Amino acid sequence: MATIMAVFAHPDDETFICGGTMAKHGHEGHRVVLVCATKGEMGRRMGVPPIATREDIPTIREQELNNACKVLQIKELRFLGYRDKLLEIQPSETLTQAVFEQMIEIKPDAVVTFHETLGGHPDHCAIGLATTQAFQMYQKCGVSPSKANLFYVSGSNAAKNPRQYGLLPQQMTKVHVKEYLYYKLLAFRAHKTQSEMDDWVWMRDGKSLKKFSEYEYFINAHPPYHGEMESLDQY
């Protein structure tokens, strides 16, 4: 069994972006560790009707994330303690060192994070860059497993047209998650403050599940690429 370390910026990133993959590997018995940089305390969504205030939203979102982790079988949850929407102004060396220290403790075989420019949200890009730099340090420190890999989460558009995003087709990998979509849906519902305004999440299960793709997509960060597709399914 492998250790998979996911490094994201906010509670719900692990679910909304790659919840099926997290559930697949967690339920298959792999050790999945989530490192979350913030508690999403500056998020604008408070539930519909509101169930949180600006003062208690960090506590509520932390509990929501704990509930989602249980559903997805994420074995460990760790917070870096940074403030939401301020990751991009953190000194790069400081953020990188914080992630690197987690890697030294966790000793992952695979790391999943955001791409430093394709992540969209500034916090996503900042934690993605820090994780990339930390992974490079991890590979050189003698603790890293010899075949440790770094993956970036990806949308389907980049997966279908990688060259438009400056990527190589052989970098793209997809994970079949159809059997684990119910757990992903339950994790969506666990993040109630963030998902309650999305009517489709709260429909009957069958209708809600139709909103999900049976695949989730990733970018393999570093060569060599083995064959047409180097997949997380190897773990």
Side-chain angles (χ1 to χ4, degrees):
M1 292 296 173
T3 295
I4 298 170
M5 175 180 172
V7 187
F8 293 125
H10 312 107
D12 75 35
D13 289 341
E14 83 300 328
T15 293
F16 293 179
I17 297 170
C18 58
T21 301
M22 297 294 100
K24 172 183 170 64
H25 290 87
H27 282 268
E28 287 179 347
H30 299 286
R31 177 190 176 212
V32 182
V33 183
L34 172 60
V35 176
C36 192
T38 80
K39 294 186 178 179
E41 52 267 78
M42 296 304 294
R44 291 178 293 174
R45 292 188 177 191
M46 300 285 177
V48 181
I51 60 173
T53 65
R54 180 59 60 205
E55 288 71 26
D56 63 12
I57 190 67
T59 301
I60 291 176
R61 293 196 71 180
E62 179 179 356
Q63 185 58 56
E64 289 178 341
L65 181 54
N66 273 290
N67 294 340
C69 286
K70 290 178 183 177
V71 170
L72 299 175
Q73 289 292 296
I74 293 174
K75 302 298 191 297
E76 299 173 42
L77 170 60
R78 304 181 179 204
F79 287 98
L80 294 182
Y82 290 96
R83 189 167 179 80
D84 186 15
K85 299 194 187 302
L86 295 182
L87 290 182
E88 63 176 319
I89 66 172
Q90 298 299 321
S92 178
E93 298 82 1
T94 302
L95 191 55
T96 296
Q97 183 64 28
V99 177
F100 174 65
E101 289 174 1
Q102 293 294 321
M103 288 183 185
I104 292 298
E105 290 185 20
I106 296 167
K107 297 179 177 60
D109 299 287
V111 176
V112 179
T113 190
F114 292 105
H115 190 278
E116 64 188 77
T117 60
L118 302 178
H121 191 294
D123 279 357
H124 295 179
C125 295
I127 198 64
L129 175 59
T131 303
T132 298
Q133 294 172 336
F135 185 81
Q136 292 167 352
M137 294 165 61
Y138 178 60
Q139 287 184 308
K140 296 176 182 177
C141 73
V143 176
S144 165
S146 60
K147 294 184 179 180
N149 284 298
L150 174 65
F151 296 90
Y152 303 119
V153 290
S154 172
S156 59
N157 288 339
K160 294 175 182 177
N161 302 287
R163 295 191 187 279
Q164 292 184 9
Y165 295 84
L167 303 169
L168 298 173
Q170 58 266 38
Q171 284 183 263
M172 305 310 300
T173 192
K174 63 182 180 180
V175 178
H176 189 251
V177 297
K178 185 175 181 180
E179 294 180 18
Y180 300 91
L181 293 180
Y182 180 64
Y183 300 109
K184 182 175 180 176
L185 176 60
L186 292 181
F188 260 77
R189 291 172 177 171
H191 287 291
K192 193 173 181 181
T193 58
Q194 307 307 299
S195 64
E196 199 163 25
M197 69 181 296
D198 299 318
D199 291 342
W200 66 268
V201 176
W202 305 96
M203 295 177 180
R204 287 182 297 176
D205 292 350
K207 287 188 175 181
S208 296
L209 290 169
K210 289 180 181 178
K211 294 289 184 176
F212 294 134
S213 168
E214 64 182 90
Y215 291 99
E216 290 176 345
Y217 299 92
F218 300 85
I219 303 162
N220 192 344
H222 302 122
Y225 308 120
H226 304 288
E228 181 178 349
M229 189 171 293
E230 176 72 6
S231 174
L232 278 166
D233 284 338
Q234 68 183 295
Y235 298 109

